[in-house]
Amino acid sequence: FITFAHLFSWISKIHDAQTLVFTEELMLLSDWLWYSKELAKLTIHALRNISFDIFPGEFVIFFGPSGCGKSTLLKIIAGLIAPDSGSVAVDERGSSIVFQEPFLFSGSIRFNVTLGQVSSNEQVQQALWMSSCDEFISELEEKDNTIVGERGVSLSGGQRQRVALARALASKRGVLLLDDTTSALDPATESVVIDRLNQSERQMTTI
């Protein structure tokens, strides 16, 4: 059974209570709310009636409280989640996404940027500069050949985020998706990264 207090707690966390669907009728008895079998479906629409155009080269920021659908929107643009309806048209060069908690392989910084793909040294260094990786790489004995360890254990959270950003930049996609990518950076470093992205001569759309 379930109490009214418990059910109300669940409903209060949902933007639109009308999205709750039950298979069996709810019964009210002595000020307690019981249900006969189970809550069969709980449909939550993180996003609804979204429509917008972003033009090539634009720098767009979506902001809002936690849980409002920002990450979901980026995952839909990246093709990681299929929308229930409608369509998403993205630059033919595709998109690359950088998450708040990036994954790094146990190889070198350079490998984590290129993922084994053929890239010129100039391309790699440009990506490392734009992501402000050059600032901490210059202090490493092996530079970008430094082995980072499993999941980048030898790097700080901010350094891992910057390496993941460099990887996305090196992929040469048309759309760069940043999901709270600079959360672990100090304000000064974050400002440097944003300034360098804005100075980029690439025709890259950043969201």
Side-chain angles (χ1 to χ4, degrees), residues 19-206:
T19 59
L20 288 172
V21 182
F22 304 92
T23 55
E24 300 293 334
E25 70 277 13
L26 294 174
M27 298 175 293
L28 183 61
L29 179 62
S30 300
D31 295 331
W32 294 90
L33 192 61
W34 303 67
Y35 68 94
S36 58
K37 287 188 178 179
E38 62 180 303
L39 301 174
K41 296 180 181 180
L42 180 61
T43 303
I44 303 176
H45 297 285
L47 300 168
R48 179 180 296 174
N49 299 326
I50 300 295
S51 179
F52 56 85
D53 293 318
I54 297 177
F55 297 97
E58 287 189 326
F59 197 112
V60 178
I61 299 176
F62 292 106
F63 62 92
S66 178
C68 71
K70 301 184 298 297
S71 294
T72 299
L73 178 60
L74 293 184
K75 290 176 182 178
I76 290 176
I77 296 174
L80 300 178
I81 298 177
D84 293 333
S85 61
S87 61
V88 179
V90 181
D91 188 303
E92 61 182 12
R93 292 174 294 172
S95 63
S96 56
I97 186 169
V98 186
F99 296 104
Q100 181 179 359
E101 295 293 338
F103 179 86
L104 297 186
F105 296 94
S106 60
S108 66
I109 293 175
R110 187 182 187 89
F111 173 80
N112 274 282
V113 172
T114 65
L115 295 182
Q117 300 296 313
V118 178
S119 299
S120 68
N121 186 63
E122 181 181 359
Q123 292 173 333
V124 173
Q125 296 307 316
Q126 176 70 2
L128 292 173
W129 177 82
M130 288 180 63
S131 60
S132 194
C133 286
D134 60 318
E135 295 185 358
F136 73 85
I137 288 178
S138 63
E139 300 176 357
L140 301 175
E141 183 176 352
E142 298 297 327
K143 306 306 179 188
D144 59 6
N145 289 316
T146 299
I147 303 300
V148 301
E150 190 66 34
R151 300 182 67 87
V153 66
S154 68
L155 302 179
S156 69
Q159 290 170 342
R160 290 195 296 271
Q161 285 185 336
R162 281 183 277 174
V163 172
L165 175 57
R167 177 168 59 205
L169 292 168
S171 69
K172 298 182 180 180
R173 303 293 184 180
V175 181
L176 175 64
L177 303 171
L178 306 178
D179 188 8
D180 206 8
T181 304
T182 59
S183 61
L185 303 185
D186 61 81
T189 303
E190 182 180 31
S191 179
V192 170
V193 171
I194 293 175
D195 286 343
R196 291 182 180 183
L197 289 175
N198 284 329
Q199 294 171 18
S200 172
E201 297 180 356
R202 293 181 51 194
Q203 290 298 312
M204 176 180 58
T205 303
T206 303

